C-alpha cells in the first residue's frame, strides 16, 4: 500500500448491483466522521450488466483527484478484475469470494483475501444485501464506530419498508464484524486521522456545484432535454428548484430548449440550458439567434467523447473549439471551464451576471469526469455572490439596438416601461426593424463586436500554482486542474508550476507573459489535437510543442500525468 493515510478503494460490478449505494453510504459516513473523501466513477452506457467501477479515496488531508492506484479492491462480479487490468498491482488487496474471481484468486498478481459477502447476504435473506455487507466491512476496516454505521444505514434507507431497513442494518452489522477478521488475515493497517473541521464541510459533485451556482446567480428558468453527462444539473434544479422559484421544463428536444431559454430572457427571466455535445449541436441555430437578438443565455455544456453518440457515459475535453466557433456569423461569447467545485459554483453564478450585462451567450464547460466526481469542501462565501440585473425601464422612444460607444444597448423587456421591445433575427435598425441598409449592417456588426473590449476587462485570470517563479510551466484548463496540481506536487520539483485556466475565452491578455517566462511549457488536455494549445497559438503566436493528451474516454490519473511530465522534463 502506497500510503496508510491516503487509501484508494475501488468497487467494481455490474450496473444494478448497488455499487452507487455503497459509494453514497461510505462517502457520507466518512465525511461525517471527519475524513476527507473523494469519489468518482466510470461506467458503461447500459442500464444493467457490464463492468462499472467507483473509486473512493479516503485521506487524512484534502483529496480531490483521481489516482490509478488501487489499495483495496472489492470485485462484485466475474470480469471485474480483468476490467481494471493494469490498475491492479501486487500491493492491491482484493476482498472477494473465490467463485467471483475464479482462477485470478491464485494468480499471485495481487493479495487475495476470501470475503464471503454474498454468503452473509444470503443468510440475512437476499444476496442483494451483499453491497451493504461490503459497505459495513469497509467502514470497519477504516476505523469507524459500528453504532454510527448502523445509524447512518438506518437513515439512508428510511424511505423503505421497515423490514428492508432492518435487513440492511443487519447486513451492515455483519459486514462490520467481518472486518475484524479480514484486518488480521490481510494485515490491513490504515492510519487515517479525522479532522473535526471536515464534519462541517459540504460534500458536492460537479453537477450539484453547477446547479447551486445557477441558483446563486438568480436562475429562475431551466429548459433542457436530458443528455449524459449534463443531466445531473437538470435533475438537481428539478429537485430543488421549487424552493427557489425556478421553473424547470423538460423540452421535447434541444432546439426547443434553447429557444425557450431565449424567450425567457426576452421576457425578463434568467435562463439556462444544460446539455452535452450532441444536444448542443442541435442548439447551434438557437445560439446564432441569441447572437443576432443580442439575447443573454447561459449554456452548461457537459463534454463527452464524440462525434455523434460517441462514448455517451465517458469523458473528454474535445468540445472547446465547437463551443468557441459554433454558430454562423460573428458575435461575442464567453467560455468558462471550472476545474474545482468552488470554481463551478462561483463561475456559474457569474455566468448569469455577464450574460445579462453583455447580452451574449455564456458557456460553463464541464465533462463527465467533473460531473460525476465529488469531494468535501469548506463551502462558499455567499456574501461575494450578487445577482446583478441590467434591465432598463423603457421610454416611449426606446430603441432596443441603439448604437452605443461600448456596444451595449439598453435592454428592455415587454411591459416594463412605455417602449416597444422589438427583436428581429434579421439584421435590424436601432428600433429592431428589419433592414438591408448595408452601411447600417456594418455598424450593427461593429456594435456587437465592441462588447468584447469590455468583456476582456473582466476576464477571470488563470491560477498559478504553487510558485510565482518557474522554469517549467504546465498549462491546463477545466476539469484537469486538481489532477495536474497533484501530479506536479508529486514530482517535488520547485522549478515547475501549473497554470490553470477556468476562463478559456476570451483568453487572458497576460497569457503570453506567463508562457514567455518559462524555459519549457507543457500543455495537458483531454483531447486528441491540443485544442487549447491551438487557441493559445492563435492569440499569442506561441506554439506549445510539448503536449500530454488523452482521448480514450477515461480521465487522466495523477500518476499518468506525473509519469508523462517526468519524461518531458527530464
Amino acid at each position: 500500500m502506497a500510503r496508510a493515510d491516503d487509501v484508494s478503494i475501488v468497487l467494481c460490478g455490474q450496473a444494478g448491483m448497488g455499487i452507487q449505494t455503497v459509494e453514497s453510504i461510505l462517502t457520507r459516513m466518512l465525511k461525517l466522521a471527519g475524513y476527507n473523501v473523494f469519489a468518482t466513477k466510470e461506467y458503461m452506457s447500459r442500464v444493467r450488466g457490464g463492468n462499472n467501477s467507483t473509486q473512493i479515496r479516503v485521506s487524512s488531508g484534502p483529496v480531490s483527484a483521481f489516482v490509478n492506484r488501487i489499495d483495496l479492491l472489492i470485485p462484485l462480479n466475474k470480469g471485474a478484475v480483468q476490467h481494471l487490468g493494469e490498475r491492479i498491482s501486487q500491493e492491491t488487496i482484493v476482498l472477494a469470494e473465490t467463485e467471483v474471481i475464479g482462477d485470478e484468486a491464485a494468480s499471485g498478481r495481487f493479495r487475495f483475501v476470501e470475503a464471503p459477502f454474498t454468503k452473509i447476504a444470503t443468510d440475512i435473506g437476499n444476496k442483494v444485501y451483499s453491497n451493504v455487507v461490503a459497505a459495513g466491512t469497509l467502514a470497519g476496516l477504516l476505523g469507524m464506530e459500528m453504532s454510527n454505521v448502523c445509524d447512518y444505514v438506518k437513515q439512508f434507507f428510511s424511505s423503505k419498508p421497515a423490514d428492508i431497513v432492518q435487513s440492511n442494518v443487519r447486513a451492515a452489522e455483519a459486514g462490520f464484524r467481518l472486518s475484524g477478521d479480514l484486518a488480521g488475515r490481510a494485515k490491513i493497517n490504515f492510519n487515517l486521522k479525522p479532522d473535526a473541521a471536515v464534519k462541517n464541510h459540504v460534500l458536492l459533485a460537479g453537477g450539484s456545484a453547477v446547479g447551486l451556482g445557477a441558483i446563486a446567480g438568480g436562475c429562475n428558468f431551466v429548459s433542457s432535454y436530458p443528455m449524459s453527462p449534463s443531466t445531473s444539473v437538470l435533475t438537481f434544479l428539478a429537485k430543488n428548484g421549487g424552493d427557489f422559484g425556478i421553473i424547470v421544463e423538460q423540452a421535447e428536444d434541444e432546439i426547443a430548449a434553447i429557444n425557450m431559454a431565449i424567450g425567457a430572457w426576452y421576457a425578463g427571466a434568467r435562463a439556462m440550458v444544460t446539455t452535452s455535445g450532441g444536444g448542443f449541436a442541435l442548439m447551434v441555430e438557437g445560439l446564432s439567434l441569441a447572437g443576432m437578438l443580442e439575447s443573454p443565455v447561459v449554456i452548461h455544456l457537459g463534454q463527452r467523447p464524440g462525434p455523434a453518440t460517441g462514448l455517451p457515459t465517458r469523458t473528454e475535453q474535445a468540445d472547446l473549439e465547437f463551443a468557441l466557433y459554433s454558430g454562423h456569423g460573428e458575435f461575442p461569447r464567453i467560455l468558462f471551464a471550472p476545474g474545482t467545485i468552488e470554481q463551478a459554483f462561483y463561475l456559474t453564478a457569474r455566468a448569469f451576471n455577464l450574460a445579462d450585462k453583455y447580452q451574449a451567450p455564456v458557456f460553463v464547460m464541464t465533462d463527465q469526469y467533473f460531473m460525476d466526481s465529488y469531494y468535501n469542501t469548506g463551502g462558499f462565501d455567499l456574501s461575494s455572490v450578487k445577482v446583478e440585473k441590467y434591465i432598463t425601464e423603457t421610454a416611449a422612444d426606446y430603441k432596443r439596438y441603439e448604437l452605443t460607444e461600448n456596444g451595449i444597448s439598453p435592454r428592455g423587456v415587454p411591459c416594463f416601461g412605455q417602449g416597444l421591445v422589438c427583436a428581429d433575427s434579421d439584421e435590424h435598425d436601432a428600433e429592431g426593424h428589419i433592414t438591408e441598409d448595408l452601411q447600417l449592417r456594418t455598424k450593427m456588426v461593429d456594435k456587437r463586436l465592441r462588447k468584447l473590449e469590455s468583456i476582456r476587462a473582466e476576464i477571470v485570470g488563470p491560477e498559478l500554482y504553487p510558485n510565482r517563479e518557474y522554469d517549467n510551466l504546465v498549462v491546463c484548463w477545466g476539469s484537469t486542474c486538481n489532477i495536474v496540481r497533484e501530479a506536479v506536487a508529486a514530482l517535488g520539483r520547485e522549478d515547475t508550476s501549473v497554470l490553470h485556466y477556468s476562463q478559456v475565452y476570451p483568453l487572458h491578455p497576460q497569457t503570453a507573459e506567463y508562457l514567455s517566462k518559462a524555459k519549457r511549457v507543457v500543455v495537458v488536455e483531454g483531447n486528441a489535437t491540443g485544442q487549447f494549445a491551438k487557441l493559445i497559438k492563435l492569440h499569442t503566436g506561441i506554439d506549445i510543442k510539448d503536449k500530454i493528451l488523452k482521448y480514450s474516454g477515461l480521465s487522466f490519473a495523477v500518476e499518468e500525468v506525473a509519469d508523462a511530465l517526468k519524461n518531458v522534463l527530464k
Side-chain angles (χ1 to χ4, degrees):
M1 187 177 301
R3 284 175 50 188
D5 65 344
D6 182 354
V7 183
S8 166
I9 301 167
V10 173
L11 297 103
C12 185
Q14 297 178 353
M17 294 187 73
I19 290 177
Q20 297 311 310
T21 300
V22 180
E23 179 189 300
S24 296
I25 292 174
L26 264 184
T27 52
R28 284 152 183 78
M29 281 195 307
L30 289 163
K31 200 277 292 183
L32 288 173
Y35 297 105
N36 291 281
V37 293
F38 165 84
T40 191
K41 54 179 168 281
E42 57 86 21
Y43 52 102
M44 295 180 172
S45 179
R46 58 187 70 180
V47 177
R48 285 193 175 274
N51 285 291
N52 307 325
S53 69
T54 185
Q55 178 187 70
I56 303 171
R57 278 183 80 181
V58 191
S59 180
S60 300
V63 61
S64 56
F66 170 69
V67 293
N68 257 333
R69 188 187 83 242
I70 300 177
D71 300 318
L72 195 58
L73 169 64
I74 297 183
L76 294 174
N77 70 312
K78 293 179 180 177
V81 171
Q82 290 85 351
H83 177 69
L84 293 165
E86 295 179 355
R87 293 183 62 192
I88 299 173
S89 72
Q90 290 192 333
E91 299 296 315
T92 302
I93 299 171
V94 178
L95 303 181
E97 291 153 307
T98 304
E99 52 268 33
V100 170
I101 61 173
D103 295 339
E104 290 280 358
S107 67
R109 70 185 186 100
F110 49 76
R111 295 164 59 190
F112 171 67
V113 181
E114 181 81 26
F117 300 129
T118 304
K119 180 180 184 306
I120 292 172
T122 303
D123 290 344
I124 289 171
N126 196 317
K127 66 179 182 180
V128 299
Y129 298 122
S130 58
N131 60 341
V132 180
V133 175
T137 302
L138 289 170
L141 291 172
L142 293 168
M144 299 191 66
E145 296 291 333
M146 185 158 76
S147 58
N148 293 339
V149 175
C150 293
D151 288 345
Y152 190 83
V153 170
K154 191 180 299 180
Q155 178 186 339
F156 187 86
F157 291 102
S158 59
S159 62
K160 305 289 184 183
D163 60 325
I164 300 296
V165 175
Q166 189 54 37
S167 293
N168 278 291
V169 170
R170 289 172 58 203
E173 289 175 333
F176 195 95
R177 287 192 291 271
L178 176 65
S179 69
D181 174 53
L182 295 180
R185 283 195 283 137
K187 297 180 180 178
I188 298 173
N189 185 26
F190 298 139
N191 186 26
L192 295 160
K193 293 183 173 56
D195 179 349
V198 173
K199 294 180 183 178
N200 297 320
H201 282 189
V202 293
L203 187 62
L204 276 183
S208 300
V210 171
L212 283 171
I215 293 171
C219 174
N220 52 19
F221 186 87
V222 180
S223 50
S224 285
Y225 187 80
M227 189 171 191
S228 298
S230 70
T231 308
S232 59
V233 175
L234 180 64
T235 54
F236 179 88
L237 291 172
K239 182 178 180 181
N240 299 286
D243 295 331
F244 298 94
I246 300 174
I247 295 173
V248 179
E249 173 71 18
Q250 179 177 321
E252 62 267 36
D253 57 38
E254 286 87 351
I255 299 171
I258 193 167
N259 287 331
M260 284 181 185
I262 292 169
W265 277 100
Y266 174 76
R270 289 166 78 90
M272 180 172 78
V273 294
T274 175
T275 189
S276 300
F280 179 61
L282 293 172
M283 291 183 176
V284 169
E285 186 174 333
L287 179 76
S288 299
L289 177 62
M292 178 55 91
L293 297 181
E294 299 190 54
S295 171
V297 64
V298 176
I299 301 167
H300 168 244
L301 177 54
Q303 299 169 93
R304 71 187 204 188
T309 310
L311 295 171
T313 60
R314 304 292 180 179
T315 199
E316 207 161 78
Q317 290 183 300
D319 288 341
L320 172 59
E321 290 180 330
F322 183 32
L324 184 58
Y325 301 118
S326 53
H328 49 289
E330 298 166 296
F331 54 93
R333 67 191 72 190
I334 298 169
L335 272 62
F336 290 129
T340 67
I341 294 295
E342 293 82 356
Q343 288 175 355
F345 174 78
Y346 292 116
L347 291 177
T348 304
R350 184 179 175 84
F352 285 86
N353 289 338
L354 293 181
D356 197 342
K357 183 175 182 179
Y358 294 107
Q359 303 167 31
V362 181
F363 291 78
V364 179
M365 298 187 68
T366 63
D367 51 50
Q368 179 269 324
Y369 170 74
F370 190 81
M371 285 286 97
D372 291 331
S373 298
Y374 56 93
Y375 55 88
N376 57 287
T377 180
F380 310 120
D381 177 12
L382 298 181
S383 67
S384 67
V385 180
K386 295 179 181 175
V387 176
E388 301 169 3
K389 296 187 177 180
Y390 297 90
I391 294 174
T392 300
E393 183 174 2
T394 60
D397 60 348
Y398 171 70
K399 296 178 180 178
R400 171 66 187 93
Y401 300 109
E402 181 182 343
L403 294 169
T404 61
E405 188 172 343
N406 63 4
I408 304 172
S409 305
R411 186 170 74 91
V413 298
C415 302
F416 184 52
Q418 299 179 338
L420 173 67
V421 182
C422 184
D424 197 325
S425 65
D426 287 79
E427 190 57 272
H428 39 249
D429 60 17
E431 286 81 11
H433 301 304
I434 185 171
T435 183
E436 290 201 33
D437 180 332
L438 303 186
Q439 290 185 338
L440 182 56
R441 153 71 182 180
T442 301
K443 290 179 181 178
M444 280 293 170
V445 173
D446 290 343
K447 183 192 86 73
R448 291 190 284 267
L449 293 179
R450 276 201 298 276
K451 297 179 198 175
L452 274 171
E453 293 306 313
S454 301
I455 291 172
R456 286 193 177 95
E458 297 195 59
I459 295 175
V460 177
E463 291 189 2
L464 186 63
Y465 170 91
N467 303 313
R468 302 295 305 175
E469 302 299 324
Y470 46 83
D471 291 332
N472 307 308
L473 187 64
V474 184
V475 178
C476 60
W477 63 281
S479 66
T480 56
C481 178
N482 289 329
I483 296 167
V484 176
R485 282 185 173 188
E486 186 170 338
V488 168
L491 294 179
R493 295 181 58 141
E494 294 186 357
D495 63 350
T496 303
S497 287
V498 178
L499 189 66
H500 174 262
Y501 284 79
S502 60
Q503 180 170 351
V504 289
Y505 186 80
L507 194 64
H508 194 271
Q510 288 185 312
T511 296
E513 183 180 333
Y514 280 116
L515 270 59
S516 299
K517 281 179 61 178
K519 294 177 181 174
R520 191 155 203 167
V521 179
V522 185
V523 70
V524 179
E525 295 191 57
N527 58 63
T529 58
Q531 295 187 15
F532 191 54
K534 285 190 280 184
L535 181 64
I536 288 174
K537 184 178 181 181
L538 178 66
H539 289 269
T540 68
I542 298 174
D543 186 9
I544 303 175
K545 294 180 178 164
D546 291 312
K547 302 181 182 68
I548 298 173
L549 307 175
K550 185 171 183 177
Y551 40 94
S552 66
L554 295 177
S555 165
F556 283 106
V558 171
E559 302 96 322
E560 187 178 14
V561 175
D563 290 344
L565 286 173
K566 284 177 187 173
N567 288 331
V568 172
L569 302 178
K570 62 185 177 183

